[in-house]
Structure formats: structure tokens, C-alpha cells
Amino acid sequence: MKMQDLTDLYIVKLQEIYSAEQQGLEAMQQTVQAVTTPELQQGLSLHIDQTQQQIQRLEQLFDKLGAQPGGEVNLGMQGLVQEAQRLMGQDASPEALEAGLLACQQAMEHYEIAGYGTARTYAQLLGDDEAVQLLDQTLGEEKRADDQLTQIAQQINVQAMNA
């Protein structure tokens, strides 16, 4: 796709986010199986469900724009997912592994927050109030997920320190 204006850039940004969400979803599904702390399992399970809804919202936006969600693999998220996968392959105590996976998950959340914030700004500039609302809803969910992970990390990081 040739980018000639903000609409084209907006579509590319949405495609990047879509790829990031798909990769993040798969990573969370792997991570939830690798952790044992109930609060972390519950938080990840909740965010898996939210991510599936977020992907559906993105698909709504693509339909409205007459664009396809496909695009290139989001290399930023790919790198973050690879970090988590590498960590899961380490010989680590459960406490250290969970603390590390939490850090990886928060990095993914921060990456998504940045992407959604940018897409929302583009939608605002393009006057698409419906898209702004959908993107803002998702942005709020991502921020709340990050806050929840921060709360869980306070407990798990101490456990890793004392392991």
C-alpha cells in the first residue's frame, strides 16, 4: 500500500496494531499456561477475552474503511513476543519466570497503548468519531490491564526477590 495521506497512514497503523494484537493474543495464551499464580492467570485470562473483543473492533474499523486487516508482521511486537518465549525456555525458578513474564507482558501492553493512542489521534484528525470511540474504549482497556499487571507485579517481584 502506498501511503499518500493521513488516511493511508491510519490504515497502516491499524494493520500494525492488528498484527500486534494477534501476536500478543497468542503469546498470552502461551503465558497463561506457563504461570501458576492465580491472580496472574486470572488477569491474563481476562485480557485474552478483551483482546479478542479488541480484534473484533479493529475488524469493524477495517470494514468501515473498506480495508483489509492483513499487512506485514508487526516487528516490534514480534520482538517482544520473542523475548517472552526466550524467557520461557530458561531454567528459572517459578517466581523469577513469572516476574520476567510479567515484565514482558507489560512491555507488550505499553507498545499497544502507544499504537492505539496514535491511531485514536489519526481518527480524531480525520473526523471519525465512531473510530475515536472504539479506539478510546480499547485504549482504556489496555491501560487498565497494565495497571492490573503492575499490582500483580508488586507481589510477584517480591516473591522472586525472596526465592
Side-chain angles (χ1 to χ4, degrees):
M1 170 182 215
K2 187 173 181 181
M3 286 190 298
Q4 300 216 4
D5 58 19
L6 187 63
T7 300
D8 295 341
L9 181 59
Y10 174 54
I11 291 169
V12 168
K13 177 53 70 178
L14 292 175
Q15 289 170 332
E16 289 172 359
I17 295 168
Y18 188 82
S19 173
E21 288 289 13
Q22 294 285 354
Q23 292 177 68
L25 178 60
E26 187 175 323
M28 278 189 291
Q29 290 168 335
Q30 292 172 359
T31 300
V32 77
Q33 294 175 6
V35 300
T36 59
T37 301
E39 295 84 4
L40 182 54
Q41 287 177 328
Q42 182 181 15
L44 289 171
S45 294
L46 173 64
H47 198 53
I48 286 169
D49 293 340
Q50 285 179 334
T51 299
Q52 291 168 336
Q53 294 171 1
Q54 293 165 356
I55 289 169
Q56 290 175 351
R57 283 185 215 125
L58 288 169
E59 289 169 349
Q60 284 180 313
L61 294 177
F62 286 117
D63 285 345
K64 182 178 179 181
L65 293 164
Q68 295 296 315
E72 299 197 22
V73 171
N74 184 308
L75 298 177
M77 183 60 84
Q78 184 178 46
L80 295 171
V81 168
Q82 287 173 345
E83 285 182 30
Q85 290 171 337
R86 183 174 50 229
L87 189 61
M88 282 190 262
Q90 296 291 316
D91 182 19
S93 71
E95 297 86 0
L97 176 63
E98 287 191 6
L101 290 174
L102 257 168
C104 290
Q105 186 62 44
Q106 282 197 279
M108 290 180 214
E109 295 304 324
H110 295 177
Y111 188 78
E112 291 171 354
I113 288 167
Y116 279 109
T118 299
R120 182 189 57 189
T121 297
Y122 293 166
Q124 285 173 328
L125 290 169
L126 294 167
D128 189 342
D129 294 335
E130 179 186 354
V132 169
Q133 180 183 5
L134 291 174
L135 294 166
D136 202 43
Q137 179 181 355
T138 299
L139 187 57
E141 290 169 355
E142 296 292 3
K143 289 178 179 179
R144 285 187 296 279
D146 180 53
D147 289 343
Q148 182 182 30
L149 290 171
T150 296
Q151 291 174 2
I152 295 169
Q154 291 171 351
Q155 168 195 345
I156 290 177
N157 289 343
V158 170
Q159 290 172 353
M161 183 176 68
N162 295 325

